[in-house]
Amino acid sequence: MIFKVYFQQSINEVPVRENTKTIYVEGESVRDVRTKIADRGFNVEFVQEVKGAFLEYEKQNEDFKVLEIG
C-alpha cells in the first residue's frame, strides 16, 4: 500500500500549514510507515492511505515519487 505522509521538516517545529511537506511511502500499515520514517526526525502530522482514484490523481503530479525505505 502507498501512504501519503504530511510532516514538518523538524521535530522541533510547531506545525504550520505553509511549512507542511508531503512524501509517499510504501508500507503495510500506518504503524509500519511511521516506523520506517522514525529515524528521519520528522514531525509527522498525518499518515493517509492513498488508493483508487485518489492514487491515480496523485500520480499525475510531477512531484509524485514513492520513497524507497528498506
Side-chain angles (χ1 to χ4, degrees):
M1 293 182 278
I2 296 178
F3 293 85
K4 186 173 186 178
V5 180
Y6 298 83
F7 68 97
Q8 302 292 315
Q9 196 68 38
S10 171
I11 194 90
N12 298 322
E13 284 184 41
V14 175
V16 176
R17 178 179 292 167
E18 292 78 15
N19 295 337
T20 299
K21 301 193 182 327
T22 59
I23 56 172
Y24 300 91
V25 180
E26 190 167 349
E28 298 294 318
S29 65
V30 171
R31 174 178 267 175
D32 182 41
V33 170
R34 285 183 177 270
T35 301
K36 287 180 176 183
I37 62 172
D39 64 336
R40 295 179 180 248
F42 294 156
N43 184 2
V44 176
E45 294 178 33
F46 187 65
V47 179
Q48 176 181 23
E49 183 180 355
V50 182
K51 61 183 176 182
F54 186 36
L55 177 58
E56 294 308 313
Y57 174 78
E58 292 291 337
K59 285 181 178 180
Q60 293 175 13
N61 184 343
E62 64 185 36
D63 295 329
F64 180 83
K65 181 180 152 191
V66 177
L67 188 63
E68 299 288 329
I69 302 174

